[in-house]
Every structure is written in structure tokens, then in C-alpha cells.
Amino acid sequence: MIQHYRLENGGRIDRSGPISFTFNGTRYTGYQGDTVASALIANGVRVVARSFKYHRPRGIMGSGAEEPSALLQLETGAYTVPNVRATQQPLYHDLVASSVNCWPSVNFDVNAVTSRFARILPAGFYYKTFMWPQSFWKNFYEDSIRKAAGLGESPAEGDPEHYDKTFAHCDVLVAGAGPAGIAAALAAGRAGARVILADEQHELGGSLLATRDEIGGEPADGWLQAQLSELQRMPEVRKLPCSTVYGYFDHNCLAIQERLSEGMKPGTYEGPRERLWLVRAKQVVLATGAIERPLIFSNNDRPGVMLASAVTSYIVRYGVRPGDAAVVFTNNDSAYRTALDLHCAGVTVTAVVDARPEAEGEWPSRVRKSGIRIMPGHVVVDVQGTKKVEGARVMALSPNGEAVSGSIQGLRCDLLAVSGGWNPTVHLHAQSGARPKWDDSKASFVPGTAVQAERSAGAANGTFRLGECLSEGFQAGAEAARSAGFGDAGTPDSPETNEPVERPMLPLWLVPGPKAPGRLPKQFVDFQNDTGAADLMLAVREGYRSIEHVKRYTLLGFGTDQGKLGNVNGMAIVAKSLGADISSTGTTTFRPAYTPVTFGSIAGHDVGELFEPIRKTALHQWHEEQGAEFENVGQWKRPWYYPKAGETIHDAVNRECRAVRDSVGIMDASTLGKIEIKGPDSAEFLDRMYINGWKKLGIGRARYGFMLGEDGMVLDDGVTIRLAEDHYFMHTTTGGAATVMKWLERWLQTEWPELKVFLTSVTDHWATAAVVGPRSREVVSEVCNGIDLSREAFPFMASRTGNVAGVPARVNRISFSGELAFEVNVPANYGRQVWEELMEAGKAHGITPYGTETMHVLRAEKGYVIVGQDTDGSVTPMDLGMEGMIAKHKDFIGKRSLFREDCQRPDRKQLVGLLTTNPEIVLPEGGQITTDATVPLPVPMIGHVTSSYFSANLGRSIALALVKGGRERLGERVQVPLRDGRIIGAEITDTVFLDPEGERQNA
């Protein structure tokens, strides 16, 4: 197929072999080095997409990350990727791409009918329209909105690709490999610094890849190749093409998405598709360039309206002409380059329309010498054509830039190249925590005061002339290396450039038209979200004053575009509508990611079985051999129950429960979190962390405690043992171990660094066998040496050391079942040996292994809570009936919140017991509790069931629940409605259902 718009020569493409690809089912050809966008332009494809809201035909407007509309669905099946920018996707053999957000085709989209009603579908119409009638929301509105929402389609099949992650440190990270970035990397590299140079394009060079300028008396490309060769020879410099620095976080941590397979057919390459870099840099140089602003006028989104810099890029870099006849519309000198590039490419330049009243200077002079007409003091107010530009409509601009006058002139063209000035790419600078500042002389936001070890250079710093960009880059690189500790090697000399002086631009945020904006055809500000100038003005009229609120009301700067093209124009329009200046109106928030990042690169290898670690205790194999069923608890595989032949889970649990209460059971408790706490300030530290006191706890004794969050709500609980004057051993819940460890470290490191306390997580170091039941003392005695297990010598909540089965052990008399119990702790490598010795010793007593389900039933019989099940982040110790534990004489985390008025309300949900009227019925956990379930909807709820089981020892069901004012309602009858329509009656009781005096555990 002939590429009608391909230039006969020029560009950085490889013409030696054509590449065939498919777009919307039609085969086209391009060349190695093309993007999908440049190949489509070469083949004369104008309409490539439909707009998000009004489904207007859209073409290619930009040439890089700023492209708002040309979003494509790449490939099919498992390899499909939605919303790929055509301007950033390199071409490869047999590439398959299609348009999104259109039906049945991009050239005929049924939903384009919405554009005819654009005037009655302004910003915010959905907030007002979808409120009434209320019944329509579920039956019509929600379904319709969901079908219309979004652009591309997510893959329905699993991703066959794999991804990688890596971590790196460097002295200087340079983001952007344009002229300033190359210069910065050279200066830092020559100083001996370790440098990472990352750029989002597959070829380093930035704007130098699409310029005819000279550097040092030679073409810019020659200078570029020489510098890249020098960088290649530097062993401490790493070049990362196809790598977007997309996030700047605290402590100079930056995230980079490296696309390793860019330009290759999916499934045809080895290795990972992408790699996520997390880089800690001593110094950062942001050389991310600038993005050209569009001009805002009626129908400025038509296919054929392009950024002037993009037109130059397609001509110079890709060897394609985006049209046959062009009009250039500008308010600054940079677009005159584009006019000359178009002329050199054989494109008829009908006119350069310059909003400035005069067209003087070197660039206009060069354009005139080429025979191109210049129209100073004029603006394009509209374009002709629907699916492509067929002409530009031009009017004279008043001296103050507020109105147009005279008759409309029509200029023939199929390409309209526009330039409204340049916006430094300050996204990463803002993500670092700094605030961009408004520069009137440049009519743009530029980097403000740095708050991290970073500096901006070149166009990213508001410096747009090539020579000044190079000079600033060399200086930034040298300063970064010096700040990183590499001495003062001086700043390299910047080479001479041949660029003429440019005249000041004329800020033009909204081109005036012959009518008010609301009466004109759409003047698009945000092209990706179909936000027009009239929408922004409407938002201000409706009372929005903050630019962040305007953003949310109008969608300005939403989506994958993140306001790259529209935000500054939009802010200026809002500022004028508010009667304020742009500086005080401010910017919206710049958030990571700068461009979209795949979930795959974020996940890396952490998918499938590697999503999270599977933790097994030292006794896991023994449990498997006994046929245990397992459940996942905090990443651990814990025995759930041990079924015998023919037993259901209920049969097995009932048997295990009776064995523990009647004789003896054994449970693997190795998964409980274990933290060693050492240091002279350990007691003080625990006093601050727990609600009860710890300084007077005796050595060899244990205490149960509650840990609160700053909000006064229960965070975790557990038993802590004092092993020595300055040594404690803390137990946490299985699922809360990591959270508690981080919580303790946070306070030690950030709030109380003066405390001399050291923490070590030792959960994996110990194997723990809990021997529980009336016969537990006899069992442990048979294999235990050096410990007197008698009631008098070894009381409840005490800890002793000795030998168990010939292995050094720590034995704790702690019980989570309310039974006489001994927890035998030995080094993990001896866990199975000691376990089997205990099992052998218990044979005569019918020792029975039991799992977590039995443990839950046993603890519920005693009213013991499980944090995270009987609490939900809104429960205080008083709600659990533990107010007696709260120390009045000391401060602790959460104490102030604990005694807020709201936490003292008598109608707070409190932990109570529930006994169903029918003892055979087990209430569903989470079941809502009401005083009368038969009243009309909505039924008032007074609480919910937190734990519910059948107790074989009590011969009936039991439950724990959180009920409003529960302790004042003991004896009250309540109801729990079930999903099948049944209503279960129950009585509110005390939480302890078995052995309320605690005689069993103290035996």
C-alpha cells in the first residue's frame, strides 16, 4: 500500500524494509522507527478516535505523552492493552490496533448524536439530571452510565507476560534525555558520579531528534551522537531509554517504568515485558522538557488541528507530511519554525496567523522570504469540516485581545498547526512536594523552591532557547555531582548554537469569537474529557471558586492526560471568570503516575502463588500427615480441624472440643506473633503502648494487655512476659504481628527516640505446643525436667524455663480456652521432636490435636475476644467490658481519645452474649440484631453478631455480639432476621458461658 503522505527522504526511520500493521481491520505499511501515529499520518488516516463524552471525531494532535485523543486498543486476546497512545507506540511487524469508544466504527459512531445536544449537556449535567426520578437510578441510569463509562477494554484473559522489579541507588538521577538532560548527565558523569539517565522515548535526544538547529557548528544530531557515545564509555552512567520517571516520592525516591519489550510483538521476545525501578538518588536533575499549549477556539478538536511542534516532529523525525495545505496559528515565534518545516516538506502554507499585532524579527523575516503570507493581529475563530479540517475561519483581533472585529476570512487548508506557548513539565517537581510558581514573563508555571535534593534544567525550568538549555543542563549536572560529594570539577563549557532571538509571546488563553462562548461551537480546553471553555465559566457561575473543585465539576485534567494540554489554559479561563490572577488561582494537584503504568509492572513477580508468602510452621508436615484441613491466617497455614474418616467439620470440631474439656488436647500455637523487647526503658515503653501497667510486673510473670490506636480503639491484644529486669517477651495475634511490629517501631523511631529499647521479631524462631485440658499437667510432667508444674510452684500467668523432651524450653502457663494449659516453646528446629514426645506422653489420656475452629469455640465459651473479629476498629476496651484494665495513674497511646465524650456514651455498642431461643440454631456471623424485625423497612438495627458457634460442651449454640447499650440490656429478647426470611429469637446474656469463676484454668 502506498504511503501517500510519506516524504521521499528524511526522517530517522529505516526505509530498507516496510512494516505491515493493521488498524481497525485495514492493512497499512510503515517503517522501523515509526510510531503508530506517524504511520497512520503517512497513510492518510485522519479520524483515529472518538471523544469521551460527545463522541466527536478526533485525529492525532500531539507527538508524545501530551496526546489526548489518539488512544488505541493494542493487540487482542490475552495480549490486549487498552488506551495506548498512538504517538508513543513504536511500530512493529503485524501490530494490531483499533479505535476505542466508538460503535459500530470510528468513522460512523452512533453515539455521536450526543454532540448535537452538547449545549444541553454541559459540565455537571449528570449531577442534576440523574437525581430524578429516584427509581430510575437503579433501573436505568446506573446501567447506562456504566456502559458508557471508560475508553478501552480490559483484557478478559490472564496476562501471559511477566514483569520485573529492581531497586537502585545513584548519585545523580537525570529525568529526561533532551538537550538539558544529556548535558546534565555529561557534567555529572565527568565528575565521577554514578548517573542514571532515563527518558520515556526509545531513542535518547528529546527535542534534538526533531530539529534542524546546529550545535557547535554541526547538525544537532551529530553533536547528540557524540555525546551519547561519550556517555556510553562512562562505566558509572546507566542509560535507560523507554523508561518513564512517573513518580517522585519522599526521601528522593523515584519510580521508573522501563518498557523492555517496546517495539516488539507480544509473545515473541524473552524476558520481562516491563521493569519497575525504585531509585534512591542523592541528587535529582529534572530535565523533563516542556509541552506546547494549544489555542482555544471553536471546533479546535477537529482532525487536522495539531500542535505546531508535533507537525515539526512528524516532518523532521518521521518523514511524513500531516497535510497538503496548512495554516499556522500562533501567538509566539516557535511556530514559525513549523511553517518553514512545512514549506521545506512541500506543503502549501496558506498563511501564518499571528495573534500579535506585529510580525517582526528574524523568524517572521525568514518566513516571508519563503513566500509565506503572515497575518499579524488575527486569530482563527473556527474551522470548517467535521471529520477533517477543510478550512480555517480568521478574524482580526482587537488590540486588547478581548474581541474580534471585521469580516470572517476563509483560508483553505487541511492542516491547522497551532501554538499557544509552552508549559514547563513541572509534574515531577510538584510530586516532590514543591509548589510551582507563576512566571508572567513566560506566561507559564515554572518550578518553585525545591524541597528535596532536586533541581530543574532546560525547558522544564522555563528556559526554552537551545543554547540556554544546554548551559543550564551542564550547570545543573555539575551542581548535582558536587552536592553528591564529588568535589568541584567545574561546569563544562556550553557549545554555540545558531538559533535567532525570539520575540515575546502574547498570552492568549481563550480566542474571542463573534459570540459569547456559550453561544459558540465548542471551544475545547481539555480534549480528553471534552471540557470546554463554557463549562469552566459555568462552574464559576454556579459557585465554584477553588480550582480543585472546578476540576472535579468539569473533569478538567482528569484521566490519563492529567491536564498536560488543557490545565494552564483552563486555570487562566477560571482565573479571568473569578476576576483573579492565575497565580492566586493556582494549579491542580500533580499526582503520580505521569503517564499510565501497568498493574503488571507494579506487581512484578508478586502474582499467583507469589502474591504473598505462604508461611508454614515447623509442625506443618506432621499436620498434613494427620489429614488436617488448613485455613490461612495472616499468611500462615494453620490447622483448621483434624477430620477422621466419615466426619464432617462439625463432627470433628465437636469431638475436639469435648476432648479438650474432658481430658487433654494439643494445638500448634507457633504462629502467634512474638517480639523480644530489651533495654533499660522497656517497662516505660510498654507502659506507653498498653492500657495497663507493666513496671511492677514480676520477673517470670505474664500479663494480658490491650494496645490502642491513637483514636482510642483496640489495635491488638496479647500476653507479654517479663523475662528479666530489662527483657520482655510480647505475644501478638497471628494476623496482627507485622502491624504491631511496625506500630512499635514507628513510635520508637519517630516519637520516642530517647528511649533505649530494642525490638526483634522472633515469631519464626519458636515452635509452640499448647497442651490444654484437665490432664495437661500430667502430660507435660512426663517429658519435662527442671520445672515444678504444681499449682503452687507454677501459678496461672507465670513462665518457667527447663527441658522438655531433652530440649531447652520455655513453658508458659497461659490459657486461651479457660482450661488448665501449658504452652511449651522450643527452638523451631526441635518443634516436631518435642511435639511427638508430647503426643506419646498423652496417649494414655487420649490426647487429641485440635485446630483453629475448635480454639474459636473454646474461647467463645469463655467470652474471650479475638481482635479483628469481635472488634472492627470502632471498639474501645470499655465496650468490651475491660475498663478495669485501664491504668488511671499513667498515660498511654489513645488515652486522651478514650475519654472523649463520644467514647463514654452509654448507648455505644458493647460486647454481650447471645443465646438463641432454639438452641440448635447457630446465628450467622454478621447477622444484624433488632428489637423487632417485623416493623416496616428500614428496620432499626441495634447491633450485630461477631462470633457464633455450636458448643458441644454446652449442648447448644452460643454467640458474641456488639449491641448498643448491651450491658444494660441483659435478659432482653432480640431478633436476628436471616436472608431466607426467618427471624431468629435470642436473649442477651453475659459473655461468659462456661466456668464463670475460672476454676478450670486455676486448677
Side-chain angles (χ1 to χ4, degrees):
M1 184 176 288
I2 299 174
Q3 299 174 52
H4 292 285
Y5 289 86
R6 180 74 69 180
L7 299 178
E8 292 185 3
N9 50 57
R12 306 178 69 86
I13 54 173
D14 180 3
R15 299 172 185 261
S16 62
I19 292 177
S20 177
F21 71 102
T22 301
F23 176 64
N24 286 337
T26 301
R27 300 291 292 187
Y28 298 99
T29 57
Y31 295 112
Q32 186 73 35
D34 265 327
T35 62
V36 174
S38 64
L40 291 175
I41 291 173
N43 286 278
V45 178
R46 294 298 185 97
V47 180
V48 299
R50 289 282 171 161
S51 72
F52 173 69
K53 182 175 176 181
Y54 300 119
H55 290 259
R56 290 166 64 99
R58 292 279 172 83
I60 294 162
M61 174 170 277
S63 60
E66 79 283 356
E67 172 57 47
S69 301
L71 306 179
L72 308 177
Q73 190 82 24
L74 192 67
E75 298 302 336
T76 59
Y79 290 105
T80 191
V81 182
N83 300 327
V84 175
R85 282 182 171 83
T87 54
Q88 293 187 295
Q89 176 58 51
L91 201 63
Y92 54 76
H93 283 287
D94 296 324
L95 178 146
V96 177
S98 57
S99 301
V100 301
N101 199 40
C102 56
W103 185 84
S105 71
V106 71
N107 287 308
F108 178 74
D109 184 1
V110 171
N111 287 321
V113 68
T114 57
S115 65
R116 297 182 178 272
F117 302 99
R119 189 165 293 174
I120 63 173
L121 300 175
F125 82 92
Y126 26 78
Y127 297 125
K128 306 163 188 173
T129 306
F130 300 135
M131 298 291 288
W132 182 90
Q134 188 175 359
S135 61
F136 272 39
W137 176 255
K138 268 293 183 190
N139 300 324
F140 177 69
Y141 293 146
E142 184 179 25
D143 189 52
S144 301
I145 292 170
R146 287 188 180 278
K147 287 181 179 178
L151 293 172
E153 295 182 2
S154 298
E157 304 174 39
D159 190 351
E161 313 260 22
H162 66 279
Y163 303 80
D164 198 10
K165 288 183 183 178
T166 192
F167 301 86
H169 290 78
C170 67
D171 300 308
V172 180
L173 170 63
V174 181
I182 295 288
L186 279 169
R190 288 170 182 171
R194 293 174 302 161
V195 179
I196 293 178
L197 174 63
D199 191 88
E200 64 184 356
Q201 300 191 75
H202 65 276
E203 189 175 4
L204 303 184
S207 63
L208 298 179
L209 302 175
T211 184
R212 302 183 194 277
D213 287 337
E214 293 184 354
I215 302 176
E218 63 174 327
D221 183 60
W223 180 89
L224 172 63
Q225 297 310 316
Q227 312 318 307
L228 291 178
S229 295
E230 182 179 349
L231 289 172
Q232 185 67 35
R233 295 191 296 271
M234 294 180 180
E236 295 293 342
V237 175
R238 183 193 296 271
K239 295 185 295 183
L240 290 179
C242 303
S243 300
T244 303
V245 183
Y246 71 82
Y248 197 144
F249 308 101
D250 291 341
H251 310 295
N252 259 29
C253 177
L254 294 96
I256 305 174
Q257 179 196 31
E258 183 184 14
R259 297 173 295 281
L260 299 166
S261 64
E262 190 153 277
M264 291 183 277
K265 181 78 174 177
T268 64
Y269 50 84
E270 296 181 0
R273 175 189 172 196
E274 295 175 357
R275 179 181 290 125
L276 174 65
W277 291 73
L278 285 178
V279 179
R280 294 280 186 182
K282 291 182 179 178
Q283 297 288 321
V284 174
V285 176
L286 299 179
T288 47
I291 297 173
E292 194 169 27
R293 280 195 297 262
L295 287 160
I296 313 303
F297 53 89
S298 295
N299 291 313
N300 60 337
D301 67 325
R302 294 304 189 195
V305 178
M306 298 180 67
L307 297 175
S309 59
V311 172
T312 285
S313 182
Y314 288 118
I315 293 171
V316 178
R317 183 175 179 182
Y318 299 105
V320 296
R321 53 186 174 86
D324 293 313
V327 168
V328 177
F329 176 27
T330 185
N331 64 350
N332 67 91
D333 274 4
S334 67
Y336 282 85
R337 294 171 179 261
T338 302
L340 292 172
D341 290 331
L342 285 164
H343 179 73
C344 292
V347 177
T348 300
V349 182
T350 307
V352 174
V353 179
D354 194 334
R356 296 172 294 185
E358 297 178 352
E360 304 297 335
E362 179 66 20
W363 282 113
S365 176
R366 292 184 184 185
V367 168
R368 285 193 182 96
K369 287 179 182 178
S370 299
I372 299 172
R373 176 188 178 191
I374 299 177
M375 300 177 65
H378 284 71
V379 292
V380 174
V381 296
D382 200 354
V383 296
Q384 295 171 296
T386 301
K387 292 186 179 180
K388 67 175 183 177
V389 171
E390 297 174 358
R393 299 164 66 85
V394 178
M395 295 183 72
L397 182 66
S398 65
N400 64 2
E402 298 292 330
V404 290
S405 61
S407 59
I408 296 177
Q409 301 180 56
L411 300 178
R412 186 185 67 83
C413 64
D414 62 355
L415 171 65
L416 179 57
V418 300
S419 176
W422 294 84
N423 294 326
T425 308
V426 297
H427 296 65
L428 292 177
H429 172 76
Q431 289 176 22
S432 74
R435 295 180 65 86
K437 62 183 180 182
W438 179 254
D439 188 327
D440 272 320
S441 65
K442 297 171 181 175
S444 59
F445 284 98
V446 298
T449 303
V451 298
Q452 297 200 52
E454 59 93 359
R455 55 192 48 78
S456 297
N461 198 37
T463 303
F464 302 123
R465 288 174 56 79
L466 177 57
E468 294 174 356
C469 284
L470 291 170
S471 178
E472 212 169 78
F474 280 121
Q475 183 177 352
E479 289 178 353
R482 186 163 52 251
S483 298
F486 288 87
D488 190 357
T491 301
D493 294 331
S494 181
E496 295 288 334
T497 57
N498 66 335
E499 55 193 328
V501 176
E502 295 186 358
R503 297 173 302 137
M505 68 171 292
L506 172 69
L508 185 61
W509 310 116
L510 176 62
V511 176
K515 298 178 183 178
R519 309 301 298 175
L520 290 170
K522 278 286 184 181
Q523 301 164 298
F524 287 98
V525 179
D526 186 312
F527 297 87
Q528 188 166 102
N529 295 298
D530 277 0
T531 302
D535 296 320
L536 300 173
M537 296 175 183
L538 174 64
V540 173
R541 290 200 303 272
E542 295 198 352
Y544 292 94
R545 295 293 179 267
S546 165
I547 190 65
E548 292 286 5
H549 293 161
V550 172
K551 170 184 177 178
R552 283 151 181 77
Y553 190 67
T554 65
L555 301 185
L556 175 70
F558 267 60
T560 63
D561 179 67
Q562 284 294 296
K564 293 180 178 65
L565 289 187
N567 265 20
V568 174
N569 282 329
M571 293 165 197
I573 293 169
V574 170
K576 183 177 180 182
S577 299
L578 290 169
D581 56 47
I582 300 176
S583 178
S584 62
T585 301
T587 67
T588 53
T589 302
F590 295 94
R591 295 184 175 91
Y594 174 70
T595 51
V597 177
T598 62
F599 288 121
S601 66
I602 295 172
H605 295 290
D606 302 331
V607 295
E609 291 184 352
L610 300 178
F611 178 68
E612 64 177 356
I614 296 174
R615 307 180 73 181
K616 299 177 181 178
T617 72
L619 300 166
H620 184 84
Q621 187 175 352
W622 188 92
H623 301 315
E624 286 185 328
E625 293 169 0
Q626 308 308 310
E629 294 289 336
F630 293 90
E631 69 169 340
N632 297 324
V633 183
Q635 300 178 339
W636 289 96
K637 292 287 185 182
R638 296 198 68 178
W640 188 15
Y641 62 98
Y642 298 82
K644 292 187 175 181
E647 280 188 337
T648 65
I649 179 175
H650 302 294
D651 296 334
V653 170
N654 289 343
R655 172 178 52 78
E656 292 171 10
C657 285
R658 284 192 291 264
V660 172
R661 295 293 185 204
D662 295 341
S663 181
V664 64
I666 187 169
M667 184 186 75
D668 184 356
S670 306
T671 63
L672 287 176
K674 304 174 189 71
I675 301 172
E676 296 259 11
I677 303 172
K678 297 192 75 173
D681 295 322
S682 296
E684 174 63 25
F685 178 59
L686 289 173
D687 252 18
R688 299 181 188 184
M689 300 306 301
Y690 279 117
I691 66 173
N692 44 345
W694 294 85
K695 293 179 180 178
K696 295 182 180 180
L697 181 66
I699 295 173
R701 298 308 300 263
R703 181 166 291 165
Y704 176 70
F706 271 111
M707 193 178 294
L708 309 184
E710 292 172 283
D711 56 2
M713 305 303 160
V714 173
L715 177 71
D716 201 77
D717 69 340
V719 173
T720 297
I721 305 164
R722 192 168 197 171
L723 302 178
E725 190 68 27
D726 62 349
H727 188 185
Y728 290 81
F729 193 93
M730 177 187 289
H731 293 88
T732 74
T733 56
T734 296
T739 300
V740 170
M741 185 68 181
K742 287 188 292 185
W743 180 247
L744 300 178
E745 285 285 12
R746 170 191 159 185
W747 287 91
L748 270 181
Q749 294 184 30
T750 64
E751 303 299 327
W752 308 319
E754 74 281 0
L755 294 183
K756 296 178 181 179
V757 178
F758 302 93
L759 309 175
T760 305
S761 175
V762 294
T763 302
D764 292 13
H765 296 198
W766 295 89
T768 303
V771 184
V772 183
R775 302 298 178 193
S776 58
R777 183 176 281 117
E778 289 96 317
V779 173
V780 177
S781 294
E782 289 191 29
V783 293
C784 183
N785 295 315
I787 303 176
D788 184 349
L789 299 179
S790 66
R791 175 178 178 177
E792 296 74 22
F794 198 167
F796 182 59
M797 297 299 278
S799 178
R800 300 288 186 266
T801 57
N803 288 320
V804 176
V807 176
R810 179 180 297 139
V811 180
N812 304 324
R813 191 171 165 193
I814 301 170
S815 178
F816 193 49
S817 60
E819 286 293 331
L820 174 65
F822 297 88
E823 291 186 1
V824 178
N825 297 270
V826 295
N829 290 342
Y830 295 96
R832 179 158 182 167
Q833 172 192 329
V834 172
W835 179 277
E836 290 179 341
E837 291 279 358
L838 289 168
M839 287 294 298
E840 183 65 27
K843 275 185 179 180
H845 305 285
I847 192 169
T848 301
Y850 68 95
T852 54
E853 189 66 19
T854 294
M855 176 192 73
H856 282 290
V857 177
L858 297 174
R859 65 91 192 175
E861 291 173 346
K862 289 290 296 179
Y864 296 158
V865 301
I866 290 184
V867 173
Q869 178 165 332
D870 299 303
T871 67
D872 59 4
S874 67
V875 177
T876 71
M878 291 94 80
D879 298 333
L880 299 175
M882 300 291 184
E883 53 268 22
M885 288 179 61
I886 301 173
K888 305 297 190 296
H889 63 280
K890 71 180 184 78
D891 197 7
F892 53 84
I893 295 174
K895 183 174 184 178
R896 183 171 62 175
S897 298
L898 196 61
F899 290 97
R900 290 182 298 121
E901 182 180 349
D902 182 70
C903 291
Q904 304 294 314
R905 289 186 293 107
D907 63 339
R908 283 182 60 84
K909 286 186 177 180
Q910 298 168 342
L911 190 71
V912 295
L914 285 181
L915 292 176
T916 55
T917 304
N918 183 341
E920 299 297 323
I921 296 178
V922 178
L923 293 170
E925 291 179 349
Q928 295 296 304
I929 302 169
T930 181
T931 55
D932 185 358
T934 63
V935 300
L937 297 175
V939 180
M941 302 297 175
I942 62 171
H944 66 279
V945 179
T946 62
S947 299
S948 184
Y949 311 97
F950 183 84
S951 168
N953 293 297
L954 296 171
R956 61 159 301 123
S957 66
I958 58 173
L960 298 175
L962 288 170
V963 175
K964 292 179 180 179
R967 287 197 291 277
E968 297 298 321
R969 310 178 85 140
L970 298 183
E972 185 175 326
R973 309 292 298 182
V974 293
Q975 296 177 336
V976 180
L978 305 186
R979 294 183 64 182
D980 59 9
R982 290 181 297 156
I983 299 174
I984 307 303
E987 179 185 348
I988 297 177
T989 69
D990 186 67
T991 56
V992 182
F993 301 101
L994 181 83
D995 187 26
E997 302 301 323
E999 295 177 357
R1000 288 173 172 263
Q1001 70 184 16
N1002 294 312

